[in-house]
Amino acid sequence: MNIFKKIILISSLALSATVFAHSDGHGKVNAEKVIEIAQTSAKMLSFKDHGMSVGKIDKSWSDVTKEQFRVVEEKKSNYIVKAINTKTKEILYFNISKNGKIKDVKTGSSFNSSHGHSH
């Protein structure tokens, strides 16, 4: 079982370079792709702190389904994706550029105070 966990961790870290750098390197992403990026990011952040404001998050985030993620704002250069962890009732906001790069991930309370309003 320990080997299985190591394989998952190594796979996640290998994918993290791609997700945190850009989506696929071919232009802009759409809302559906942004949700996939946010979900993958949440899974990776449940293993390791990737330098986002939120830091390393609870491991239950790796089980959050795509249905708990939704685009709440689309701006000229980025998307804001809201995710709700139904197990912990925690809310995260993902700031993702139009080319698929994760700019930041914040908790609901820190996002609302810096953003000026809630979603």
Side-chain angles (χ1 to χ4, degrees):
M1 190 65 163
N2 195 19
I3 292 174
F4 182 68
K5 287 181 182 179
K6 287 180 182 178
I7 291 171
I8 291 174
L9 180 61
I10 291 169
S11 298
S12 295
L13 293 175
L15 290 172
S16 69
T18 302
V19 172
F20 281 98
H22 60 281
S23 65
D24 60 6
H26 298 102
K28 296 184 179 189
V29 294
N30 60 23
E32 185 177 328
K33 182 66 176 174
V34 168
I35 288 173
E36 290 175 18
I37 292 168
Q39 184 181 19
T40 302
S41 174
K43 288 179 181 185
M44 289 187 297
L45 287 168
S46 70
F47 284 104
K48 181 181 176 192
D49 180 348
H50 286 273
M52 301 292 132
S53 296
V54 74
K56 184 180 177 212
I57 58 177
D58 185 83
K59 66 180 181 177
S60 65
W61 277 98
S62 64
D63 298 327
V64 175
T65 64
K66 190 176 180 178
E67 291 74 32
Q68 274 73 50
F69 292 80
R70 67 182 172 96
V71 174
V72 292
E73 193 172 322
E74 181 178 354
K75 296 182 177 182
K76 183 177 179 181
S77 63
N78 66 308
Y79 290 94
I80 303 296
V81 176
K82 179 180 182 178
I84 301 172
N85 184 330
T86 55
K87 289 181 184 176
T88 64
K89 306 298 184 213
E90 185 178 20
I91 297 173
L92 294 179
Y93 289 94
F94 296 80
N95 183 349
I96 304 172
S97 72
K98 292 280 181 136
N99 67 2
K101 183 178 185 222
I102 304 283
K103 292 179 162 186
D104 202 4
V105 182
K106 294 185 177 188
T107 61
S109 58
S110 65
F111 175 80
N112 291 339
S113 63
S114 69
H115 192 63
H117 63 276
S118 63
H119 287 275

